[in-house]
Amino acid sequence: MTNNKTVASYGLDRTGNELPAGYLTFMEPFIGRIDGRDWKSGGIKESGAGGDELAWYATSGALGVHITFQVNLTAGERPRSTRFTQMRHREMVLDNCRYHLENLKSLRFLAWRGIVHTPTRSQIELTFIARSMTFERPGYVEISSGTQQFAEIIAGNPFTRGTERMLKENAEEMGNAKIARVILISEGLRGRKKADGDNPLLHLVIELSSR
């Protein structure tokens, strides 16, 4: 069943945001050189003056990309943590793409920059270790569909699980797209010599395919 929920239907506001220099460069190995003029950045916030920002993102219709820079919908990481809105992150991503892209069938990549979600960071670290790599150094791991590791990645974090559900709920509108591969990226430790909740900077990229 198609999900037609919008930011406005949840009583939230959409804002325009500045896009800091360098925030898109982690995508260049996968989509080519980035021209900031192709991009639009926005935020989703609680309604009214002084409402807290719940999510911050950027989209490129020309490249078919949606990137989430920040998402803060609950008071904690536990499954039953208090929610700041009943709108789910996958619904926000979908509405953002409908708002900025002419056709959802053109969507090629979904990405999350600077992941701080602890279980997802742990999953990325373990995936690097499984490839005899360390996420404390710059690098990336690609996991293609059809493998056991791919199934574990999809089930193991809320970003891939939410994407799977979004694709199923809106299959016709999205051209029956599937997740073709997941790319886990580390920018390596910066400054401090010990990893913590935001060091190294970690990203997750999903490539879609309608084949």
Side-chain angles (χ1 to χ4, degrees):
M1 180 181 294
T2 299
N3 186 327
N4 292 313
K5 297 290 183 67
T6 66
V7 167
S9 69
Y10 279 98
L12 304 175
D13 293 339
R14 188 184 299 279
T15 64
N17 284 18
E18 293 293 325
L19 188 56
Y23 266 50
L24 304 174
T25 54
F26 76 97
M27 289 294 296
E28 287 189 341
F30 316 107
I31 61 176
R33 185 175 177 82
I34 289 175
D35 185 336
R37 292 174 297 180
D38 293 332
W39 294 79
K40 295 181 180 179
S41 181
I44 298 171
K45 62 182 286 290
E46 294 173 324
S47 183
D52 289 335
E53 186 167 73
L54 303 176
W56 172 32
Y57 67 91
T59 61
S60 170
L63 297 171
V65 182
H66 179 287
I67 300 176
T68 299
F69 301 119
Q70 173 188 326
V71 56
N72 183 32
L73 306 184
T74 64
E77 295 180 345
R78 295 180 181 276
R80 297 185 183 278
S81 296
T82 300
R83 298 190 62 84
F84 303 134
T85 174
Q86 291 306 305
M87 190 173 199
R88 300 289 170 169
H89 178 50
R90 68 178 182 277
E91 295 176 314
M92 290 183 176
V93 171
L94 182 66
D95 192 43
N96 295 343
C97 292
R98 285 175 174 153
Y99 187 84
H100 292 289
L101 276 61
E102 293 184 3
N103 186 343
L104 290 189
K105 294 177 183 177
S106 68
L107 186 63
R108 295 176 53 223
F109 289 95
L110 296 168
W112 289 262
R113 180 188 187 277
I115 290 173
V116 296
H117 182 251
T118 304
T120 304
R121 290 184 66 86
S122 296
Q123 184 189 51
I124 293 172
E125 179 180 12
L126 291 173
T127 303
F128 270 66
I129 291 172
R131 298 287 183 93
S132 299
M133 300 168 64
T134 172
F135 82 153
E136 295 182 349
R137 295 180 180 176
Y140 65 88
V141 172
E142 298 183 39
I143 305 101
S144 298
S145 63
T147 66
Q148 179 60 35
Q149 190 176 39
F150 179 84
E152 293 170 356
I153 290 291
I154 296 298
N157 73 81
F159 307 107
T160 48
R161 287 197 305 269
T163 299
E164 281 261 282
R165 185 163 178 179
M166 181 181 72
L167 295 174
K168 290 177 181 178
E169 290 176 342
N170 306 277
E172 183 175 354
E173 185 180 9
M174 302 189 76
N176 294 306
K178 306 291 184 185
I179 298 177
R181 63 172 173 160
V182 177
I183 307 162
L184 307 176
I185 305 166
S186 173
E187 294 196 6
L189 286 178
R190 56 191 195 282
R192 302 184 299 277
K193 294 184 178 180
K194 186 177 180 180
D196 57 26
D198 64 356
N199 188 22
L201 202 60
L202 302 179
H203 320 302
L204 187 154
V205 179
I206 291 173
E207 183 176 10
L208 303 179
S209 173
S210 58
R211 290 185 299 172

